[in-house]
Amino acid sequence: MRLALHFDFPGLQQTILNVLPDLDIILIPSEPESALPANLAADMLLTSSHLAASNLPQVLAQCEGLKWVHVFGTGIDNFPLHLIGDRTLSCGRGASAVAIAEWTLAMMLDCEKQLPSSYITSPPDDWFATPNLGTLANKTLGLIGFGAIGQQIAKRALAFDMQVVAKVRTFRESPVPGVVLVERLDELLQQADHLVLALPATPDSEQLINAQALAKTKPGVHIVNVARASIIDQEALLPLLDSGHIARASLDVIKPEPLPEDHWAYSHPRVFLSPHISWNSPEVMSNIMNSFLVNLKAFSQGEDLSGVVDVTAGY
């Protein structure tokens, strides 16, 4: 059995061989100008969606006998899905779900407790005079997207006594007790105090939260985007932030990345921007690696893989 490795870093090959000692590994250069090995053949390919702009299309076209492709990471929105054919495609879906869920809850608490503006650095005029601090209890969390990330967010929100409503493509019984699932986006938009975008970027989700959708949100809503910037119309967001209809936007993703230094999002008082870091945690790289190693063992034994991508749906 042969694995084509489209990138490398110290210890990667040995980590893989610790799982399958007899595995034949062939290293493929990822630079666009590099020639691919002659008679390239492998059963499996480990690549990254970040390599989509390099020679990944050529690798997929020339790798004979390829049955399974694993993307080292959690997203596949940059992957050339039209080239996958009848091969199985998987990724490390859910590897950063806990970290992203914790970041989301931190942003919601930050919003309700008015941090950091409620801190003091000198004696106030009145020690007991406080701003109108809110609570998460009895507020409604509206989740758009209810995969691994959405479910981890929901479980934590329920612990804060929030009402949790999640928008799904097709109604089903909720896998998380206490979460109400709805199909209609309007129904969710009209009741969410905190609106969290946690869905994959696909052609169907492109600017799903457009001017019309934003106009249907509850006055004073807090929007959190931990998905992709393409899902929300940023220019339609701006006037609603200016008017205060949207009380706050906590954005871990924005378009473009990196953002030019003169962009309005840096200085807008209602925008809380972070540089695409919500996924980060001490465990995330080991989680991503483990998702591949588990699948590698399953593939070698003819078992079902996890994190399989629905190529037609795009996630």
Side-chain angles (χ1 to χ4, degrees):
M1 192 169 289
R2 187 181 230 197
L3 169 67
L5 203 57
H6 200 198
F7 61 90
D8 198 13
F9 55 79
L12 175 59
Q13 295 190 49
Q14 187 56 56
T15 299
I16 293 171
L17 291 173
N18 288 341
V19 175
L20 286 182
D22 296 330
L23 186 66
D24 182 18
I25 298 177
I26 177 174
L27 188 61
I28 304 173
S30 58
E31 296 77 12
E33 65 277 6
S34 299
L36 296 178
N39 302 318
L40 176 60
D43 304 282
M44 305 161 283
L45 169 66
L46 178 60
T47 186
S48 167
S49 61
H50 297 297
L51 298 173
S54 65
N55 61 351
L56 179 56
Q58 290 81 6
V59 173
L60 291 171
Q62 296 182 35
C63 193
E64 297 181 5
L66 187 61
K67 301 179 183 67
W68 167 45
V69 179
H70 186 87
V71 176
F72 193 83
T74 59
I76 50 90
D77 43 302
N78 294 323
F79 193 92
L81 295 174
H82 62 287
L83 299 178
I84 202 65
D86 59 356
R87 303 149 174 151
T88 299
L89 177 66
S90 63
C91 67
R93 182 184 298 144
S96 56
V98 169
I100 293 175
E102 290 182 352
W103 189 93
T104 301
L105 264 292
M107 291 304 102
M108 294 196 294
L109 285 166
D110 186 67
C111 176
E112 295 289 353
K113 302 306 178 184
Q114 298 184 34
L115 301 172
S117 62
S118 59
Y119 292 131
I120 58 172
T121 57
S122 62
D125 293 335
D126 185 340
W127 189 262
F128 297 102
T130 61
N132 295 319
L133 302 184
T135 65
L136 292 181
N138 302 314
K139 296 288 177 61
T140 297
L141 166 62
L143 283 167
I144 304 180
F146 202 53
I149 293 171
Q151 291 177 34
Q152 290 292 340
I153 294 171
K155 288 195 291 187
R156 286 157 177 79
L158 289 169
F160 280 87
D161 293 328
M162 297 188 77
Q163 310 299 317
V164 182
V165 182
K167 183 346 187 142
V168 292
R169 291 188 359 167
T170 304
F171 179 78
R172 61 184 188 272
E173 292 298 319
S174 174
V176 180
V179 177
V180 176
L181 302 188
V182 297
E183 286 187 44
R184 291 182 57 247
L185 179 60
D186 290 1
E187 185 179 349
L188 180 143
L189 294 174
Q190 293 164 7
Q191 59 181 308
D193 298 294
H194 296 267
L195 179 65
V196 177
L197 311 184
L199 68 164
T202 68
D204 288 342
S205 67
E206 179 83 17
Q207 293 208 348
L208 176 68
I209 308 303
N210 53 26
Q212 292 74 26
L214 289 169
K216 295 174 183 176
T217 56
K218 188 175 181 179
V221 67
H222 171 213
I223 296 179
V224 182
N225 192 358
V226 289
R228 290 291 186 266
S230 61
I231 294 167
I232 191 167
D233 184 341
Q234 291 176 186
E235 297 311 310
L237 186 68
L238 180 56
L240 294 177
L241 286 165
D242 289 340
S243 70
H245 176 88
I246 297 174
R248 168 173 167 154
S250 298
L251 307 175
D252 188 48
V253 289
I254 198 161
K255 189 176 182 179
E257 292 180 354
L259 198 65
E261 63 178 316
D262 58 348
H263 196 277
W264 57 263
Y266 283 124
S267 57
H268 199 289
R270 298 184 188 275
V271 173
F272 292 74
L273 181 65
S274 60
H276 207 145
I277 57 170
S278 64
W279 57 271
N280 190 266
S281 76
E283 297 82 19
V284 67
M285 289 307 296
S286 62
N287 290 346
I288 290 173
M289 174 60 77
N290 189 60
S291 68
F292 168 68
L293 296 178
V294 168
N295 271 352
L296 178 64
K297 188 172 182 179
F299 182 83
S300 70
Q301 297 175 351
E303 299 173 355
D304 292 339
L305 305 182
S306 59
V308 173
V309 175
D310 182 334
V311 176
T312 302
Y315 62 92

